Amino acid sequence: MRCHGNPLSRRGFLAAGTLGTIGLSLPELLMRQAAAEQKQYDFVEAKAKSVIHIFLPGGLAQQESFDPKPYSPIEYRGELKTIKTNTGEVFCETVPQLAKRADKFSVIRSMSHGEAAHERGTHNMFTGYKPSPALQYPCFGSVVSHEYGPRNNLPPYVCIPNVPNEFAGTGYLPSSYGAFALGSDPNRSDFKVRDLNLAGGVDEQRFSRRKHALEVVNSHFTSVTQADNIEAMNTFYQRAYDLLDTPAAREAFDIEKEDAKMRDRYGRNEAGQRMLMARRLVEAGTRLVTLTYGGWDMHNDITGGMRRLTPALDVALGALLDDLSERGMLDETLVMVSSEFGRTPKINKDAGRDHWPKVFSVMLAGGGIKGGMIYGASDSTASEPEENAVSPADLATTMYRLLGIVADKELMAPGDRPIEIVDGGNLIEPLLA
């Protein structure tokens, strides 16, 4: 069952016109819609408190990860072998740690869209929308920030290490709902999150005086203009002050506080330390963390490329799932592993695979997702969906539902244009625990 958002959405007005012809007054109509809306909202119970979105830029090959084709000809299946999971399914040999934990997550093998360019495919997978020349859509993190705001004085939307692409931004929403980016990689020996410490020579009293002076200046500018950049700057400064004023929040960003054995467990590399940082942030209160790892655009030597990049990802993801589970956080933290598209069914002349959006795989764990499930299927050569094709809008709708957000709720774009958070997505009900 899909849940509908604003009772005065475009659909609501269409209903108003229809019901008006049988004699209902506007107050009666609104009362009926409010009652119906309340019933629908009763189904939108948040299962997930936070999301860790692990994005693999470039286009992860489905054949060399979660959807191998061992019985297809060599030019389709590639050189890598398969491995049995603890649920009896088959993955590529590149992910042995995940294969041991397949009961903790589900894989969609039938993701599909029509955008073969990196930028357009990335837009789809960060917003749930096809790109449009007329409007910029907000990414998942900005929508979550808009709907829920900060928790425990942590930024609601954080990117590790930086905002990964132009589509990870606020779109038509005010820029105050943008991401807080670490600005440095947690794996670096000199890692330090920018702007989280008081400047040299500034003590707490001086900090308070500066804060008060800034509030006076800001109130003047706000009274003069309502420009988005002024309002956004006010919001960012206020959140920054809240963060600086909260030692527990600041500490969440200090990966040196983490036990050395835990850091080793995740892996002392980009994949491991970024995922560990993500866990620290959602544990402390951040609502959505986006992190990237690697470059998966393997037009050449895909066998070598996967053998080089995948081990760190495999170990770190396995550690993240175990760590969340051991802390009692997996049931309330949605882990989503995605890429902008997959790779071509056939190996090319350079022993690589090219862009292929017709079918690819996404991994989901925790936060109300069943474990040990394969949803959908590709055909025998991983060329297209064979059953239960899933669109980016379907994936986004499901993610938002797990967070308790009504996916077709209307937000306001410039010009007071009502735009649904997701347009036309279907809930992937079999995946829900």
Side-chain angles (χ1 to χ4, degrees), residues 5-31:
N6 186 345
L8 291 181
S9 64
R10 286 169 289 176
R11 295 183 185 129
F13 279 115
L14 288 174
T18 302
L19 291 173
T21 64
I22 59 174
L24 285 178
S25 68
L26 182 59
E28 289 173 323
L29 171 62
L30 294 178
M31 288 175 64

Side-chain angles (χ1 to χ4, degrees), residues 110-132:
S110 53
M111 281 298 306
S112 181
H113 62 71
E115 305 292 349
H118 288 293
E119 295 79 8
R120 295 177 69 85
T122 299
H123 182 285
N124 281 1
M125 299 304 290
F126 269 79
T127 68
Y129 269 92
K130 294 179 181 179
S132 166

Side-chain angles (χ1 to χ4, degrees), residues 103-353:
D103 60 313
K104 291 185 176 178
F105 60 88
S106 289
V107 172
I108 299 172
R109 283 180 171 168
S110 53
M111 281 298 306
S112 181
H113 62 71
E115 305 292 349
H118 288 293
E119 295 79 8
R120 295 177 69 85
T122 299
H123 182 285
N124 281 1
M125 299 304 290
F126 269 79
T127 68
Y129 269 92
K130 294 179 181 179
S132 166
L135 188 66
Q136 284 191 307
Y137 295 97
C139 71
F140 302 146
S142 292
V143 171
V144 171
S145 178
H146 177 273
E147 293 298 290
Y148 285 130
R151 179 172 53 199
N152 299 340
N153 285 337
L154 265 294
Y157 170 33
V158 176
C159 287
I160 302 174
N162 292 299
V163 178
N165 56 69
E166 61 185 300
F167 310 115
T170 60
Y172 60 75
L173 291 176
S175 52
S176 56
Y177 299 108
F180 179 88
L182 270 59
S184 179
D185 197 290
N187 186 51
R188 290 172 58 102
S189 58
D190 60 349
F191 170 69
K192 185 178 180 181
V193 178
R194 60 189 175 199
D195 304 326
L196 278 193
N197 296 298
L198 297 178
V202 178
D203 59 20
E204 295 294 336
Q205 287 185 336
R206 191 175 177 188
F207 170 72
S208 296
R209 290 196 302 271
R210 286 184 174 185
K211 180 180 178 182
H212 176 70
L214 183 63
E215 288 170 350
V216 172
V217 173
N218 281 347
S219 65
H220 169 71
F221 276 106
T222 302
S223 67
V224 172
T225 178
Q226 292 298 317
D228 174 51
N229 57 348
I230 297 293
E231 187 61 35
M233 194 60 68
N234 283 349
T235 301
F236 278 127
Y237 272 123
Q238 186 56 53
R239 290 181 181 175
Y241 279 126
D242 290 342
L243 184 54
L244 287 169
D245 275 343
T246 312
R250 289 205 311 270
E251 189 170 302
F253 290 91
D254 188 356
I255 202 166
E256 294 294 334
K257 300 287 186 184
E258 195 66 47
D259 182 76
K261 290 182 180 178
M262 183 62 76
R263 296 190 70 180
D264 292 342
R265 184 176 169 186
Y266 273 81
R268 300 274 185 157
N269 49 54
E270 288 184 355
Q273 299 307 291
R274 290 178 187 184
M275 289 190 210
L276 178 55
M277 177 61 77
R279 190 271 291 160
R280 288 181 62 83
L281 290 173
V282 298
E283 185 175 35
T286 295
R287 297 186 186 277
L288 190 145
V289 176
T290 290
L291 68 90
T292 55
Y293 166 67
W296 306 84
D297 193 23
M298 298 178 183
H299 294 276
N300 308 291
D301 185 24
I302 195 165
T303 298
M306 292 297 290
R307 284 177 170 160
R308 183 180 69 256
L309 275 184
T310 316
L313 174 71
D314 180 50
V315 168
L317 260 176
L320 177 64
L321 295 177
D322 289 348
D323 193 12
L324 290 171
S325 181
E326 290 162 9
R327 291 169 186 271
M329 293 174 58
L330 187 58
D331 288 344
E332 59 187 32
T333 306
L334 176 63
V335 179
M336 179 168 68
V337 183
S338 71
S339 199
E340 63 259 49
F341 41 55
R343 312 304 296 184
T344 46
K346 194 173 184 179
I347 300 285
N348 65 26
K349 61 181 178 59
D350 297 313
R353 297 185 192 267

